[in-house]
Amino acid sequence: MATFGVNLDGVYIYKNANSDSQFMSLERIASGFYKVVADYYPMVVGRPSVSKNGKGVMIVDPDNLCIPDIAELTVNHPAEKFFETRDNVDKAKDTVKFFNLRKFYHDSGVNRLSKATYNRDNAAAIVRVIRFAGSNYVALYISMSHVLFDGLGATMFFNNWAECTRNLDNPSHTLQNPPVNDRKVVTDYFDTVTAVEPPHTKHLKEQSTIPIMPTPDNFAPILIGTSDIPAFEEQHLLHFTPDKLEQVRHDIDKTQTTNLTLAVLLSKVVLQADIQAFNSMPKWSYVMFPYDCRKSTGIPTMYSGNLSFSAIAPLESQAVLDGSGKELAQAIKEHCSKTSGEYAKSTIDTIENEIGVLFQAGASLCNSANSSYVGLSNLRYLPLYSIDFGYGGPEILSCDYFVREGMSRIYANKQDGGIDLVMNIKDNLFEYLKTSEELLKYADVIF
């Protein structure tokens, strides 16, 4: 329920290389969606409610379903109008293509794509098959509630949906890896765990200048009654080729992971941008990684719900500015490795009993005169390129505007083996970033 009003979304761009007249058929894609929901994911058409013991639950009432909205959309321009291109590091391959969402909304005639919501009917999921005039490219846009899934759960759903679509002509087909939907596997696990408060929770309680909001006796109805959180509409894209990504790791600390050293680079350059934009040094810099609780617990990998929690490193900004990359990598790792079930249990307890801490976190995890923030959601290793509805997987990965300033998403780019970093950061801050010599040594600014 803490993610009520937040969406998971994706824009997956497929190429019709063989000029197939039935390519990405709306009828088949819609039929596959209805089949996978009916057979494996009934909660997708449920509605959030509150149980007798005050817990958030999803009610699937056949007489009151929240029906998905699946439709086709035609854009009177070729898809290439909304692409940015760069030379491929492999000269034998085509140029690398990127989807410019801001250009799409500005020039396509589509003001905004709809978002999934429980605040209106027939919007449990939004699916759009987007066709472009005079182009072999077709985009698939998907928006679903974060209440249902985290990134791993959503990717499993998309791949299972695609598998059902590919096998529509085989009525006896069953999923190779069906989801585990029974939340009892989660509650049974956490019943055996003793909560351990993560250091960042203690930090937020002690250091936040925002007064702690008292937690009501039953906060679930309050969360369910809130409006949808508007998306942050200042999106930017950086691209790192494989060699530049490895250079980041080598220059900062080659004993650490690429994602960790990337966080070091971003925390330094974003802090520098904050100092220039706000003419002052914020006291604290924060780095946040969502982590999947399935990996460190006995909860089945195929559990379909939302089991993502946040690992946060609170760092003194002066140390970020002055410290070596190696020192900063070690500090971030020390904080963000707190990903055990005990820490996750404490987070659940905090949400249920001290929800005001969430508001303190929201006020701190942003870029302002008081704080610097880098949030990194790593989608790089999720099987997004395998979402194949019978026409091959997507060629280009992108996303719609999403919530929270300071958050970024890391996508693998299969065209050259590098990564795309979709950044939610204010335009005025990005003006400083795109002139940062420290950043431009490694990254290509796409838009």
Side-chain angles (χ1 to χ4, degrees), residues 274-295:
D274 286 331
I275 292 170
Q276 293 180 76
F278 299 107
N279 294 312
S280 65
M281 167 90 78
K283 182 177 181 180
W284 294 101
S285 292
Y286 297 95
V287 175
M288 188 279 285
F289 290 99
Y291 68 92
D292 173 21
C293 193
R294 300 169 185 81
K295 292 182 178 179

Side-chain angles (χ1 to χ4, degrees), residues 113-405:
L113 292 164
S114 297
K115 296 282 192 181
T117 178
Y118 292 111
N119 289 320
R120 68 173 187 272
D121 287 335
N122 303 329
I126 305 292
V127 178
R128 293 289 181 267
V129 177
I130 306 173
R131 304 196 187 278
F132 300 90
S135 176
N136 285 333
Y137 290 96
V138 175
L140 181 70
Y141 166 76
I142 309 165
S143 174
M144 303 184 76
S145 174
H146 208 342
V147 169
L148 294 169
F149 302 120
D150 55 17
L152 178 60
T155 304
M156 287 192 291
F157 172 81
F158 299 155
N159 276 282
N160 285 335
W161 166 22
E163 182 182 335
C164 282
T165 303
R166 293 195 306 271
N167 291 279
L168 282 172
D169 300 325
N170 178 7
S172 63
H173 176 79
T174 57
L175 288 178
Q176 291 182 352
N177 296 295
V180 175
N181 295 328
D182 187 358
R183 192 162 179 81
K184 193 172 184 298
V185 299
V186 177
T187 57
D188 283 353
Y189 169 75
F190 282 116
D191 283 346
T192 68
V193 171
T194 300
V196 175
E197 186 174 73
H200 68 257
T201 302
K202 185 173 186 290
H203 165 88
L204 289 168
K205 291 176 181 178
E206 293 177 350
Q207 298 294 333
S208 177
T209 58
I210 306 299
I212 295 180
M213 182 188 75
T215 301
D217 292 336
N218 191 351
F219 69 92
I222 296 173
L223 290 178
I224 290 176
T226 57
S227 302
D228 296 327
I229 300 173
F232 184 82
E233 298 192 357
E234 296 177 61
Q235 185 183 103
H236 300 276
L237 180 64
L238 300 178
H239 178 66
F240 294 78
T241 60
D243 58 326
K244 292 296 185 182
L245 197 59
E246 180 58 24
Q247 188 182 341
V248 172
R249 194 178 69 86
H250 187 274
D251 290 351
I252 291 174
D253 187 347
K254 60 185 178 183
T255 69
Q256 304 292 355
T257 65
T258 301
N259 289 338
L260 181 57
T261 53
L262 181 62
V264 171
L265 171 65
L266 292 172
S267 63
K268 280 183 170 289
V269 297
V270 170
L271 173 59
Q272 291 163 5
D274 286 331
I275 292 170
Q276 293 180 76
F278 299 107
N279 294 312
S280 65
M281 167 90 78
K283 182 177 181 180
W284 294 101
S285 292
Y286 297 95
V287 175
M288 188 279 285
F289 290 99
Y291 68 92
D292 173 21
C293 193
R294 300 169 185 81
K295 292 182 178 179
S296 57
T297 67
I299 297 171
T301 302
M302 295 306 294
Y303 176 70
S304 62
N306 188 342
L307 269 181
S308 285
F309 296 85
S310 296
I312 302 170
L315 309 163
E316 292 195 30
S317 292
Q318 194 66 57
V320 173
L321 201 61
D322 297 340
S324 69
K326 196 165 189 175
E327 292 169 335
L328 187 53
Q330 189 58 44
I332 295 172
K333 182 178 181 179
E334 182 179 341
H335 284 284
C336 291
S337 61
K338 312 294 187 186
T339 58
S340 70
E342 289 80 7
Y343 291 113
K345 174 68 175 294
S346 175
T347 300
I348 294 171
D349 290 345
T350 298
I351 292 170
E352 293 186 345
N353 302 302
E354 299 178 273
I355 197 171
V357 176
L358 281 183
F359 292 91
Q360 288 182 318
S364 298
L365 302 183
C366 63
N367 289 290
S368 68
N370 300 315
S371 59
S372 185
Y373 175 54
V374 172
L376 285 173
S377 183
N378 183 19
L379 310 181
R380 183 182 179 191
Y381 301 109
L382 294 180
L384 296 171
Y385 283 108
S386 68
I387 303 173
D388 175 8
F389 294 89
Y391 313 95
E395 295 287 313
I396 303 168
L397 303 180
S398 185
C399 60
D400 197 11
Y401 294 134
F402 53 95
V403 302
R404 293 216 57 80
E405 186 274 335

